[in-house]
Structures are given as structure tokens and as C-alpha cells.
């Protein structure tokens, strides 16, 4: 069934973090198929280019491009946001999809625990840096991918040990990062009510 003009994504700018695999990849295929201008933002440009080729083939749309973005590196996020803000005159959808689970405790480039830093702090900073442009685009959306893993964190986010130095459990840390995504989404929606 053809897409109706009221819900068409034709010529809408969509940025998808982690669009080279999984949910992000499938979202990129579907949105490109609907006519969106899709940017997949990925850490590894070689994998991103391979994904771009597959997305173009599956969607029958060449309106897909690739930009480098490492959500575990604030300098990369700032650079991406600066280039995106200059390159794109609108951002209709920011799909914060990229994420990871680190089996053992590791740190981001900026010294934050890797899972929490990549899954929450990175998307939080990216959204904050692009927010004025997103708000300026009529009908725009921020979509944050979460997980049912947030249900297994019990006592919530340990603000006295955000770095998870006292105790590290990969699944619990992942769940906390997903809970942070949900809390961020709710607060962002509250703050942007009416925009």
C-alpha cells in the first residue's frame, strides 16, 4: 500500500546511531524505503559503509549516508554534532539506538564506565547538542531505544557509585543504563511539552 502524504517520511532527515546492525539497521532500511534521508552514525566507518550498501540495496533508496560517531568519546560526539548541524538544515528524527554491554568494567575515552557512558551519557550529550535544531524542525522527534533490562536493576541507579567501581555486573550495569535512558526520555518529554 502506498504511503499517504500525512505519514510519509519523504525528504525527512533521520539520524540513527548504531545504524549498521540490529534494530538500527532495520530501522534505517524501513525509513529509507519510506523516502527519508537517513544518516547512520557509527564508530566503525568500514562497517558503516558495508551497512549503507546493504541498506541501499534492501530499501531501493540511495538517500543513505554515513558519518562517524563514537558515543564513548565526547570529542567525537561534539565533532559529529557540529558537522551535522552545519550539513543538515533540519533534523526530523534523532534515533538514539547504539548501545553495548561490556562484560568487564572498562572506561570511555573521558573516563566514565563504558556501558553507562556509551548507552546513556553519549546519547544524552548528542541529544543536547542537536536539540535546538531538532526543536526548530516542525514535527520532529527524539527516539531513545531502551530495554526491559531496566526492570532488573532493583534499587535503581546508584548515584554514589555511577562508575561501578564497588561492584560490577555487566547485566546490572546495562539495565541501569537503560533505566537512565527511560528517565532521560521522560524528563525530556516533560521539558519539551508543547514544542
Amino acid at each position: 500500500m502506498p504511503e499517504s502524504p500525512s505519514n510519509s517520511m519523504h525528504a525527512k532527515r533521520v539520524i540513527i546511531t548504531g545504524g549498521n546492525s540490529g534494530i538500527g539497521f532495520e530501522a534505517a532500511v524501513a525509513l529509507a524505503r519510506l523516502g527519508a534521508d537517513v544518516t547512520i552514525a557509527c564508530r566503525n566507518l568500514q562497517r558503516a559503509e558495508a551497512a549503507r550498501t546493504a541498506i541501499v540495496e534492501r530499501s531501493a533508496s540511495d538517500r543513505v549516508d554515513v558519518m562517524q560517531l563514537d558515543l564513548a568519546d565526547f570529542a567525537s560526539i561534539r565533532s559529529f554534532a557540529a558537522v551535522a548541524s552545519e550539513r543538515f538544515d533540519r533534523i526530523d528524527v534523532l534515533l538514539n539506538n547504539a548501545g553495548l554491554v561490556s562484560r568487564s568494567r572498562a572506561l570511555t575515552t573521558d573516563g566514565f564506565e563504558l556501558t553507562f557512558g556509551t548507552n546513556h551519557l553519549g546519547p544524552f550529550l548528542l541529544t543536547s547538542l542537536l536539540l535546538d535544531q531538532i526543536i526548530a524542525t516542525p514535527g520532529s522527534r527524539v527516539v531513545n531505544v531502551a530495554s526491559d533490562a531496566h526492570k532488573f536493576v532493583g534499587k535503581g541507579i546508584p548515584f554514589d557509585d555511577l562508575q561501578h567501581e564497588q561492584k560490577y555486573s555487566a547485566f546490572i550495569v546495562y539495565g541501569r543504563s537503560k533505566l537512565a535512558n527511560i528517565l532521560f526520555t521522560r524528563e525530556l518529554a516533560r521539558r519539551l511539552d508543547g514544542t
Side-chain angles (χ1 to χ4, degrees), residues 63-102:
R63 300 173 73 114
V64 181
D65 68 339
V66 169
M67 289 178 65
Q68 188 165 24
L69 171 65
D70 183 350
L71 289 169
D73 182 347
F74 285 178
S76 175
I77 296 166
R78 291 181 192 285
S79 175
F80 176 91
V83 171
S85 294
E86 192 170 300
R87 184 182 295 178
F88 307 133
D89 61 350
R90 61 187 295 130
I91 299 175
D92 295 275
V93 178
L94 172 60
L95 174 48
N96 287 314
N97 164 73
L100 60 78
V101 178
S102 180

Side-chain angles (χ1 to χ4, degrees), residues 86-143:
E86 192 170 300
R87 184 182 295 178
F88 307 133
D89 61 350
R90 61 187 295 130
I91 299 175
D92 295 275
V93 178
L94 172 60
L95 174 48
N96 287 314
N97 164 73
L100 60 78
V101 178
S102 180
R103 293 180 192 267
S104 58
R105 188 176 179 279
L107 300 178
T108 67
T109 304
D110 303 285
F112 297 102
E113 187 282 316
L114 183 62
T115 299
F116 192 78
T118 302
N119 294 358
H120 175 63
L121 298 178
F124 181 95
L125 177 60
L126 179 64
T127 303
S128 298
L129 293 171
L130 296 176
L131 197 54
D132 287 344
Q133 193 169 6
I134 293 167
I135 291 170
T137 304
S140 60
R141 297 286 184 267
V142 175
V143 179

Side-chain angles (χ1 to χ4, degrees), residues 20-91:
N20 62 313
S21 64
I23 294 169
F25 176 84
E26 294 301 331
V29 170
L31 290 163
R33 204 175 270 153
L34 292 174
D37 295 319
V38 177
T39 298
I40 56 173
C42 304
R43 182 178 63 235
N44 183 310
L45 280 180
Q46 188 175 3
R47 288 182 188 163
E49 286 294 347
R52 181 196 175 281
T53 300
I55 292 164
V56 167
E57 184 177 307
R58 281 191 48 200
S59 68
S61 170
D62 64 354
R63 300 173 73 114
V64 181
D65 68 339
V66 169
M67 289 178 65
Q68 188 165 24
L69 171 65
D70 183 350
L71 289 169
D73 182 347
F74 285 178
S76 175
I77 296 166
R78 291 181 192 285
S79 175
F80 176 91
V83 171
S85 294
E86 192 170 300
R87 184 182 295 178
F88 307 133
D89 61 350
R90 61 187 295 130
I91 299 175

